Amino acid sequence: MHAFDYQAPTTLADAVAQLAAHNGSARPLAGGTDLIDQMRVGRHRPEVVIDIKKIAELHVLEQSASGLRLGAAVPCYQIYGHADIVAQYGALVDSCHIIGGIQIQSRATVGGNLCNSGPAADTTPSLIALEGVCVIAGPKGQREVPAEAFCTGPGKNVLEPGELLVEIRFPARPPQSGSHYRRMIPRNEMDIAVVGVGASVVLDDAGQNFVSARIALGAVAPTPLLAEAAGASLAGQPVSEESIAQAADLACSIVNPITDMRGAKEYRVQVTRVLVQRVLRAAVTRARGEQLDYVPGH
Ligand SMILES: Cc1cc2nc3c(=O)[nH]c(=O)nc-3n(C[C@@H](O)[C@@H](O)[C@H](O)COP(=O)(O)OP(=O)(O)OC[C@H]3O[C@@H](n4cnc5c(N)ncnc54)[C@H](O)[C@@H]3O)c2cc1C
């Protein structure tokens, strides 16, 4: 690995100042589960690595009546270890449970997963489905970007040189809501998704009709996608196999997957159709307060 400087600021202001001072030649380090490997193989050669794990603002993990605040340096295991988040933000918890094994989940952050901006990242569809908003700090102050607009291409995102993801904010979950994330992988674990789907639904009081839904897709385009028309098609519809199948068809109409060793384009489209239906049914189960028969990763 090349030689680099290491800095570990303890305030957000210092981190932003240090990033800005190096004008694109510095990189934030969160858990390092992507970055260290990418530096080892020479994909990134930052002159300065700025460790953001010592910044208190980036460790916020707070659920309240106004929603969830998830700091960019919070490791995955803390998220699924938080009972209120498990109860309210199922899709996010599902995603955190399947990133690598326990060692990776002890280091890896949702913020790093998002900032790495891989099309198959397992947390991004959940952030989109749950209406996550990214809070970004930089030399010009703070700005907010919806999770679905954060990634701009494989490994690319909206962050400008000197900018840092501070936290992801989620609105409070309404009553009768549920969410789920599931991926298809060739092996049982430690693989990259062929397709990943996150969905959140809100049902009416009787639990029989959709009030609203959001569906997000991973690994089927250069960036994770919000399947807007597919989610909108469910609003006001009864919870039925027909309405769910129609939403899955609409989701398939926006995907543009590649063919690679994990699967052909046509296969990925078909997997998308199947997964969207499974994930919607699972989100409905949770919205009804019923137990979901699901083992993370399968
Ligand atoms: C064995 C193994 C298994 C894995 N399995 C999976 C899997 O199943 N699913 C999956 O999705 N991923 C998987 N991953 C990748 C996953 O661990 C990472 O994507 C992780 O979530 C990144 O978080 P991190 O905190 O380690 O980020 P880092 O590696 O520290 O950073 C990742 C990138 O984001 C940037 N960055 C980090 N934080 C910020 C910030 N706050 N602001 C701006 N830029 C920032 C860094 O500069 C770097 O470019 C696996 C990795 C390994 C090693």
Side-chain angles (χ1 to χ4, degrees):
M1 196 188 287
H2 73 287
F4 57 88
D5 284 343
Y6 170 86
Q7 293 175 357
T10 53
T11 67
L12 182 57
D14 281 352
V16 168
Q18 287 168 9
L19 275 172
H22 294 287
N23 195 26
S25 64
R27 260 188 188 267
L29 171 81
T33 62
D34 280 325
L35 184 61
I36 299 294
D37 194 48
Q38 291 162 355
M39 287 169 60
R40 199 176 51 81
V41 298
R43 185 164 144 201
H44 294 309
R45 296 181 61 83
E47 287 169 19
V48 186
V49 163
I50 299 186
D51 189 340
I52 57 169
K53 284 239 173 190
K54 296 182 170 44
I55 303 170
E57 292 105 308
L58 271 58
H59 281 282
V60 63
L61 184 62
E62 206 176 272
Q63 204 213 332
S64 67
S66 49
L68 170 64
R69 293 178 62 199
L70 168 57
V74 173
C76 288
Y77 83 94
Q78 286 186 10
I79 296 165
Y80 60 70
H82 193 300
D84 293 340
I85 298 176
V86 172
Q88 298 286 318
Y89 298 88
L92 175 65
V93 169
D94 297 331
S95 294
C96 291
H97 259 301
I98 58 175
I99 292 195
I102 182 66
Q103 295 91 342
I104 296 295
Q105 291 157 17
S106 302
R107 293 285 312 169
T109 62
V110 171
N113 197 238
L114 179 66
C115 291
N116 191 57
S117 301
D122 277 314
T123 66
T124 313
S126 297
L127 307 184
I128 296 171
L130 293 167
E131 296 177 75
V133 172
C134 309
V135 180
I136 296 167
K140 295 180 197 151
Q142 289 210 351
R143 64 186 178 114
E144 296 186 359
V145 174
E148 59 267 31
F150 188 86
C151 299
T152 55
K156 298 198 172 90
N157 57 52
V158 297
L159 292 177
E160 302 283 349
E163 284 190 325
L164 188 68
L165 177 69
V166 179
E167 64 180 65
I168 305 160
R169 291 192 188 141
F170 302 87
R173 301 295 298 148
Q176 302 281 98
S177 66
S179 65
H180 184 48
Y181 174 81
R182 194 174 289 204
R183 69 182 177 189
M184 158 75 192
I185 52 173
R187 301 187 299 163
N188 273 349
E189 48 198 16
M190 297 283 182
D191 211 335
I192 296 174
V194 170
V195 178
V197 175
S200 69
V201 302
V202 183
L203 304 182
D204 63 6
D205 289 346
Q208 297 305 317
N209 298 289
F210 290 102
V211 173
S212 63
R214 278 171 76 89
I215 301 167
L217 312 170
V220 289
T223 63
L225 299 174
L226 171 63
E228 217 164 347
S233 77
L234 290 168
Q237 294 296 312
V239 175
S240 67
E241 285 304 303
E242 290 70 31
S243 61
I244 288 174
Q246 191 197 2
D249 283 345
L250 284 167
C252 289
S253 71
I254 64 159
V255 306
N256 186 19
I258 55 167
T259 292
D260 67 6
M261 80 267 199
R262 289 190 181 77
K265 178 174 180 152
E266 297 73 22
Y267 173 67
R268 283 192 150 101
V269 175
Q270 182 55 18
V271 173
T272 305
R273 181 170 285 109
V274 173
L275 266 193
V276 168
Q277 296 182 59
R278 286 188 189 168
V279 170
L280 282 170
R281 287 187 208 111
V284 166
T285 300
R286 283 182 170 160
R288 288 174 172 163
E290 297 163 2
Q291 191 61 35
L292 182 62
D293 183 16
Y294 167 71
V295 180
H298 294 265

